[in-house]
Amino acid sequence: MIDTKHIRIKDYHYELPDERVAKYPLPQRDQSKLLVYRHGEVGEDCFCHLPDHLPQGALMVFNNTKVIQARLHFRKDTGALIEVFLLEPFAPADYEQMFQSRCHCEWLCLVGNLKKWKEGTLSREMTVNGRNVVLKTSRLETRATSHLVAFDWDDADVTLADILDAVGELPIPPYLNRESQESDKVTYQTVYSKIKGSVAAPTAGLHFTEKVLAELDQHGIEREELTLHVGAGTFKPVKSEEIEGHTMHTEYICVKRQTIEKLIAHGGKAIAVGTTSVRTLESLYYMGLRLHGNPMLSEEELHVEQWEPYREDLPRLSTVDALQEVLAFLDRNGLPSLHSSTQIIIAPGYEYKIVQMLVTNFHQPQSTLLLLVSAFVHGDWKKIYEYALAHDFRFLSYGDSSLLIP
């Protein structure tokens, strides 16, 4: 039996030459290559043929989060450029309310060139929807590696969403080693993105086009959407020798009642598009376990902790029964959707409860995402990645795709 906490991250290393990292997407999203891993055998196809590889009547789950233009730049009187990177809403804490904020809000942020901004207020003038607006920002306090930052602006007819659309910059992944471009505003969003809140795209979804989605429908594959807002922590490298020393970031999720009903109707089984969908779906099981013994918990108390799945004292419950607990919780509280959070880490030794097939891109060496993939294919990740490297697949966010069927 694998002792998950003592997995050595160096055992999940592979050589990834920079030229194999896709700096830009293909002109047509669905023309990317698709590696197909089926019960230990590896082959390839074009992504546009994905529906041909999926069983009719299956349920496919997508993450409909939308990447926000989270980078804001301010220039001090001295000329120093300060970048304020929005990480997580603080006041108001609700994402939807935050983007409708007027005149004032507070975020947890990363600050670039921090040594040049020790105190004081920064401001910049801008034009938003034809209106002249002055945006001011001030640091309130430091919280671990991030900072609580206040934003104030002088026009109550302008929302924060308006400001970010006007002057915010899209935060493309740091490993692309280039500045964001106007084209990224389209290509770094999935065609089904809806709910603003992520600072990184759920990149497995970048290959889908309206044509592929229509063909999924024609193949009798049901589609459902959930929301997990991807945080900057998705790029956080594992620096500890063993993964026990790595702290997973918290991410916020929203799952509609209808989606949980569909999962139950499909026997608690689903095809996940992307690792963020995986983390959300698998977290639902552990939320159901919590509710099994404590039906009066709040949504906040359903937060899934990093090592929760690996506890030996967990009750035994079928996947459908766990999902029924979540559904009953929504009914008791008159909620149309579940809003909670997860810190789950999925690594070898983890037993998947809901996800039966996975569509995902190729991930960085020594990353928690690679650990998730390894757990899914029962340790066979090297065969997959060696094939991809030998057959000219493109890697990371703008790279090619894979369909994994263990």
Side-chain angles (χ1 to χ4, degrees):
M1 184 165 175
I2 296 171
D3 187 349
T4 302
K5 289 187 179 181
H6 296 298
I7 286 173
R8 297 181 306 168
I9 196 62
K10 70 179 183 181
D11 292 339
Y12 295 82
H13 180 75
Y14 69 93
E15 292 299 328
L16 178 59
D18 185 62
E19 61 268 19
R20 302 305 298 275
V21 177
K23 300 295 195 293
Y24 295 91
L26 295 178
Q28 288 182 268
R29 293 172 183 257
D30 60 9
Q31 294 304 300
S32 57
K33 295 174 72 167
L34 176 70
L35 180 147
V36 180
Y37 173 89
R38 188 187 299 270
H39 313 316
E41 297 299 317
V42 183
E44 64 181 272
D45 201 342
C46 177
F47 188 86
C48 62
H49 298 144
L50 172 70
D52 297 336
H53 297 277
L54 303 177
Q56 286 193 340
L59 176 65
M60 197 167 205
V61 181
F62 299 76
N63 182 5
N64 64 12
T65 188
K66 189 165 193 169
V67 184
I68 62 172
Q69 292 169 204
R71 297 167 65 198
L72 292 168
H73 289 99
F74 296 84
R75 197 168 289 280
K76 292 189 66 178
D77 294 339
T78 60
L81 185 67
I82 310 296
E83 178 175 290
V84 182
F85 187 114
L86 307 180
L87 286 180
E88 181 184 320
F90 183 81
D94 177 80
Y95 279 88
E96 191 171 340
Q97 292 177 20
M98 171 59 80
F99 294 118
Q100 295 308 310
S101 294
R102 297 173 190 271
C103 296
H104 177 84
C105 63
E106 297 171 15
W107 281 77
L108 287 172
C109 300
L110 295 176
V111 177
N113 208 7
L114 179 64
K115 63 181 182 295
K116 294 293 180 76
W117 186 27
K118 292 189 170 62
E119 58 186 4
T121 299
L122 305 177
S123 67
R124 64 178 287 182
E125 296 180 10
M126 62 191 73
T127 301
V128 182
N129 299 336
R131 308 168 73 91
N132 294 324
V133 178
V134 177
L135 175 66
K136 296 183 178 181
T137 183
S138 52
R139 280 173 55 213
L140 302 180
E141 61 184 74
T142 300
R143 297 194 169 198
T145 57
S146 58
H147 303 270
L148 184 57
V149 173
F151 297 94
D152 295 274
W153 58 102
D154 59 355
D155 191 330
D157 289 329
V158 171
T159 66
L160 178 68
D162 294 330
I163 290 173
L164 295 182
D165 286 345
V167 299
E169 295 181 21
L170 203 72
I172 61 172
Y175 49 63
L176 295 184
N177 293 318
R178 66 172 176 82
E179 290 296 314
S180 61
Q181 299 180 4
E182 191 66 22
S183 60
D184 291 310
K185 291 181 180 180
V186 174
T187 58
Y188 197 58
Q189 302 279 14
T190 63
V191 297
Y192 48 81
S193 64
K194 296 178 181 69
I195 312 298
K196 291 182 178 181
S198 282
V199 299
T203 55
L206 295 180
H207 308 276
F208 286 86
T209 58
E210 295 296 347
K211 184 171 182 246
V212 172
L213 294 174
E215 289 183 3
L216 288 171
D217 296 340
Q218 290 166 14
H219 276 69
I221 293 163
E222 290 195 68
R223 293 190 279 132
E224 278 295 317
E225 295 178 0
L226 46 73
T227 307
L228 179 143
H229 290 313
V230 189
T234 193
F235 301 121
K236 182 181 176 184
V238 180
K239 294 184 176 178
S240 55
E241 286 189 25
E242 298 182 342
I243 64 163
E244 184 177 25
H246 181 75
T247 302
M248 286 293 289
H249 51 293
T250 295
E251 290 174 313
Y252 295 88
I253 66 173
C254 173
V255 185
K256 292 180 180 177
R257 187 185 198 283
Q258 167 191 307
T259 304
I260 296 167
E261 289 173 335
K262 282 278 183 71
L263 284 165
I264 292 170
H266 283 81
K269 306 303 180 189
I271 303 168
V273 176
T275 57
T276 57
S277 296
V278 170
R279 286 162 52 77
T280 307
L281 289 168
E282 294 295 314
S283 293
L284 288 175
Y285 176 80
Y286 295 97
M287 292 176 182
L289 284 196
R290 284 201 175 192
L291 288 164
H292 183 62
N294 303 279
M296 303 315 293
L297 293 176
S298 67
E299 284 184 300
E300 292 77 14
E301 290 171 319
L302 295 181
H303 169 79
V304 179
E305 295 170 355
Q306 177 168 337
W307 296 108
E308 195 163 340
Y310 306 91
R311 284 172 36 197
E312 294 182 357
D313 61 341
L314 290 175
R316 293 189 177 276
L317 209 60
S318 74
T319 302
V320 169
D321 285 344
L323 291 169
Q324 291 281 13
E325 292 281 1
V326 177
L327 198 58
F329 169 83
L330 294 178
D331 289 343
R332 278 194 303 275
N333 292 280
L335 297 171
S337 303
L338 175 70
H339 292 262
S340 194
S341 57
T342 185
Q343 202 180 357
I344 193 171
I345 185 168
I346 297 177
Y350 180 87
E351 182 183 330
Y352 277 81
K353 305 296 184 182
I354 292 175
V355 179
Q356 301 296 294
M357 300 182 186
L358 171 60
V359 176
T360 188
N361 285 15
F362 297 95
H363 306 291
Q364 288 181 294
Q366 301 189 42
S367 63
T368 56
L369 301 181
L370 189 54
L371 293 175
L372 180 152
V373 167
S374 180
F376 192 68
V377 297
H378 311 300
D380 216 8
W381 71 272
K382 281 187 179 177
K383 176 189 287 188
I384 294 165
Y385 277 65
E386 284 171 359
Y387 183 98
L389 287 165
H391 290 78
D392 205 30
F393 277 71
R394 302 157 73 248
F395 278 63
L396 308 186
S397 295
Y398 275 142
D400 293 317
S401 184
S402 66
L403 170 63
L404 307 180
I405 306 172

